[in-house]
Amino acid sequence: MLNLDGIWEFAWTEDDPEEPRYDSFAAVPGCFDTMQGYFNRRGYGFYRRRVTAGGRLRLAIGSFGLRAKVFWDGEEIASSALAWSPLVAEFTAQPGDHELVIRTDNRLEGHPLFREFYDFYGFGGIFDHVTLEEVRRDEIGRLAVTPVDHETGEVEIAVETTAPLLEISFDGGRCLRMENRKKFHLQVPDFGVWSPEHPRLHKLRVNEKEVEFGIRTLNWQGEHLLLNGKEAEFLGVNRHESHPEFGPATPEALIASDLRQIKEAGFNFIRGCHYPQREFFFRMCDRLGLMVWEEPLSWGNKVCDLTDPVFVDTLEEQLRLTIRNSINHPSLVIHGFLNECASDTPEARQIVQRFTQVCHEEDPSRPAAFATNRPEHDICLDVTDIAAMNVYPGWYGTEKLEEIPGCLDKFALLAPGKPKVISEIGAAAMCGDHSGAPWSEEFQAEYLRQVVTSVRRNRAWSGVMLWQFCNSNTYTGTVHMPGRPRGFNNKGLLDEYRRPKTAWKILPELLKK
Ligand code: ADA
């Protein structure tokens, strides 16, 4: 496999995608509107380089925004508007030297999924690795491992290939040969169970393809989610892939450092908001023992989106792709979708039913959820497997700090009989404000103390996901989300450069087992 990361020629045009002038260079991965000269600009970012290759080829871009088109020797070979998802193109090329162009585009108009009112910045560029490999005859395509029983180590294996024979081994051990079958069960020898405390991983090799997986089971038939047969308590944080200098093209060293800090602070869960997560993120969570909620791109969508077939069909496509891409990661425990949609309307109910079914079709081994911001008027909470609520009493509401526990107890009475989590809750704090008033570090710390202690005290909750790990890039505010000083969502426990606020320092005490 060729890794094509590095220095690419760069061109930018505001509105004429036909005439790029490659007068500069850019790093891949990289986000063009965090580059000097392109801040806040909306248009087309072109990346160009030469590649020596030939035969049947597969080009993969790990993540991009907000649209990408790929040209090989001037001819379009692939395009996608599924921002933050991988784009994979298969094509045939004569052996030799070729021109490869990736045209990214961060224009908001006409995007099928991204809306200008979302509370996160719509960046442009290539956010993750670009690779090129040869497509081999009879290669193993999709290879999905689903744990069936954490007591026996039984797993279900699904293989897509035209190869007549399968050679299978676990962890480099004894090789088993069998005729091609689409789906079969095997027992993993000398297995260990994956859990946040002991994140044990295994490897499965089928012919030339190797994947990592973990053995752990999830059950959500009762009031709580069971992980390996035991009630799980989610102590989580929401996290955007965001940094002032990199946008969503965060370097892997930064992702690793964020996740390590999250784990060390005592969290066991991350809600990856509000778009698909990168492969590196998952590989780290698998290893660190952090459970994950992943969701496709959406935010606060109203009935006009939920009745727009382009929006709904594109979102379904991204939901399916997201589930398929992440299927082997043991850290992934919840499939989410449609953050804060108009879930008090019959139009939303239909879509929530449809998307819950999509999740179950693609992966019956994990529960589905969407996060409501109107729990008391919601008419969809009974549809998904987990009832998840984004609530900000005392921040957006008028409640006093001491009224927060009572408020949360009231929400806990909703959606009886199913696991319930608070999927977002938090307060903003401006670094250095120690006044104790709202927007100060002390107010945020006290707010989160009330939240975490009251959620942990009430046995009806399966957990809480604080909003949010660190300040994240957004706009200075819109009617939909007022108050975003400096163009950041300032509810981070850390600031945008990962400098801790007061609230971060009280976490060990709040999160201890
Ligand atoms: C919502 C939303 C988040 C963020 C948050 C806030 O619940 O899901 O993305 O915008 O509110 O900070 O208000």
Side-chain angles (χ1 to χ4, degrees):
M1 182 185 286
L2 260 183
N3 184 323
L4 301 180
D5 294 353
I7 303 170
W8 290 46
E9 289 173 273
F10 184 74
W12 194 86
T13 67
E14 184 154 1
D15 48 20
D16 186 358
E18 304 305 320
E19 286 186 19
R21 272 186 41 240
Y22 291 90
D23 52 6
S24 188
F25 295 92
V28 169
C31 184
F32 68 75
D33 40 356
T34 53
M35 266 160 59
Q36 190 83 40
Y38 305 101
F39 299 140
N40 258 337
R41 311 275 299 269
R42 300 240 160 240
Y44 301 87
F46 290 77
Y47 297 79
R48 179 170 79 174
R49 62 163 287 162
R50 311 263 344 148
V51 182
T52 305
R56 186 77 192 148
L57 299 175
R58 179 184 299 116
L59 178 95
I61 306 171
S63 175
F64 63 88
L66 291 170
R67 299 176 182 84
K69 258 193 184 143
V70 185
F71 301 87
W72 185 262
D73 292 334
E75 203 182 304
E76 182 181 325
I77 55 166
S79 77
S80 171
L82 302 181
W84 280 273
S85 281
L87 186 167
V88 178
E90 283 191 15
F91 60 102
T92 305
Q94 291 299 325
D97 188 48
H98 301 274
E99 181 198 73
L100 171 62
V101 170
I102 300 176
R103 187 187 93 187
T104 60
D105 155 6
N106 68 350
R107 289 167 319 128
L108 302 177
E109 319 81 76
H111 196 282
L113 290 181
F114 198 88
R115 298 286 179 262
E116 75 293 345
F117 58 79
Y118 289 4
D119 186 11
F120 46 100
Y121 198 89
F123 285 103
I126 299 173
F127 305 158
D128 202 0
H129 307 296
V130 180
T131 56
L132 187 71
E133 65 183 333
E134 228 177 282
V135 179
R136 307 202 348 215
R137 258 193 61 201
D138 286 346
E139 68 175 15
I140 304 290
R142 182 173 146 83
L143 179 55
V145 191
T146 308
V148 176
D149 189 335
H150 65 272
E151 283 177 353
T152 60
E154 181 184 341
V155 294
E156 180 190 86
I157 299 171
V159 190
E160 279 171 17
T161 182
T162 50
L165 279 180
L166 305 181
E167 294 194 343
I168 302 165
S169 66
F170 289 107
D171 304 312
R174 206 171 57 84
C175 181
L176 185 85
R177 288 187 179 78
M178 62 164 75
E179 290 192 354
N180 182 348
R181 267 189 276 164
K182 281 195 166 50
K183 227 176 226 176
F184 50 92
H185 285 215
L186 286 176
Q187 227 136 299
V188 180
D190 301 325
F191 71 97
V193 175
W194 188 95
S195 69
E197 297 75 30
H198 304 287
R200 176 80 198 272
L201 295 175
H202 288 284
K203 285 195 169 104
L204 165 69
R205 174 173 279 275
V206 179
N207 298 0
E208 78 293 339
K209 182 154 181 157
E210 189 169 79
V211 293
E212 250 177 13
F213 68 98
I215 298 172
R216 55 112 193 84
T217 54
L218 299 168
N219 181 298
W220 54 90
Q221 301 322 319
E223 296 236 309
H224 288 280
L225 190 122
L226 305 185
L227 172 70
N228 302 323
K230 286 196 215 103
E231 242 175 59
E233 184 191 22
F234 298 133
L235 294 172
V237 73
N238 283 268
R239 179 178 175 276
H240 266 294
E241 204 59 76
S242 173
H243 185 281
E245 262 71 69
F246 306 112
T250 43
E252 289 178 348
L254 180 71
I255 300 179
S257 152
D258 283 0
L259 302 186
R260 206 174 38 77
Q261 288 203 71
I262 289 171
K263 178 77 184 183
E264 284 171 8
F267 292 108
N268 62 13
F269 194 98
I270 300 183
R271 177 162 177 254
C273 49
H274 297 296
Y275 32 74
Q277 303 296 302
R278 282 166 38 197
E279 180 63 16
F280 182 85
F281 167 91
F282 271 117
R283 286 168 53 81
M284 277 299 291
C285 290
D286 289 347
R287 283 168 173 69
L288 289 171
L290 285 164
M291 296 179 278
V292 176
W293 162 320
E294 186 182 36
E295 62 188 26
L297 175 57
S298 49
W299 192 94
N301 302 97
K302 296 175 200 55
V303 170
C304 55
D305 284 335
L306 302 175
T307 52
D308 169 6
V310 174
F311 176 84
V312 176
D313 293 347
T314 312
L315 192 58
E316 177 176 332
E317 192 187 339
Q318 190 175 51
L319 175 60
R320 286 191 189 274
L321 182 68
T322 304
I323 296 175
R324 292 189 140 231
N325 284 336
S326 309
I327 198 100
N328 289 329
H329 293 290
S331 53
L332 177 61
V333 297
I334 299 177
H335 296 305
F337 53 79
L338 278 175
N339 174 64
E340 300 191 346
C341 68
S343 55
D344 47 356
T345 65
E347 290 84 352
R349 188 169 168 90
Q350 255 194 13
I351 303 300
V352 171
Q353 281 170 330
R354 169 169 156 192
F355 283 10
T356 303
Q357 197 186 329
V358 166
C359 292
H360 293 165
E361 277 166 24
E362 290 293 337
D363 179 13
S365 80
R366 292 175 175 93
F370 78 99
T372 180
N373 62 342
R374 55 203 80 181
E376 283 159 311
H377 310 287
D378 198 289
I379 59 163
C380 306
L381 277 179
D382 61 309
V383 178
T384 47
D385 303 308
I386 294 186
M389 308 177 206
N390 293 355
V391 290
Y392 290 82
W395 183 253
Y396 292 126
T398 51
E399 302 83 358
K400 299 201 175 56
L401 277 183
E402 55 280 14
E403 290 169 340
I404 292 176
C407 261
L408 299 185
D409 287 349
K410 271 212 316 241
F411 292 131
L413 300 173
L414 301 170
K418 57 173 61 194
K420 273 178 279 293
V421 296
I422 294 183
S423 34
E424 282 184 32
I425 190 162
M430 304 306 281
C431 274
D433 180 343
H434 295 292
S435 65
W439 292 88
S440 70
E441 292 193 33
E442 281 69 20
F443 182 90
Q444 183 195 40
E446 191 43 39
Y447 185 98
L448 294 176
R449 183 195 303 280
Q450 293 281 355
V451 165
V452 177
T453 46
S454 41
V455 171
R456 297 195 77 185
R457 195 182 331 108
N458 187 337
R459 291 263 304 112
W461 293 114
S462 293
V464 58
M465 297 146 202
L466 303 182
W467 185 268
Q468 61 171 337
F469 166 63
C470 71
N471 292 350
S472 56
N473 303 83
T474 182
Y475 309 91
T476 47
T478 65
V479 277
H480 303 279
M481 42 105 190
R484 297 290 184 265
R486 310 176 305 121
F488 285 96
N489 184 311
N490 292 289
K491 298 190 191 73
L493 293 157
L494 310 176
D495 79 355
E496 59 277 15
Y497 289 105
R498 281 62 176 167
R499 291 173 295 209
K501 302 182 193 171
T502 303
W504 183 260
K505 299 175 196 151
I506 63 166
L507 290 174
E509 170 204 333
L510 295 183
L511 302 177
K512 69 172 176 271
K513 287 277 162 206

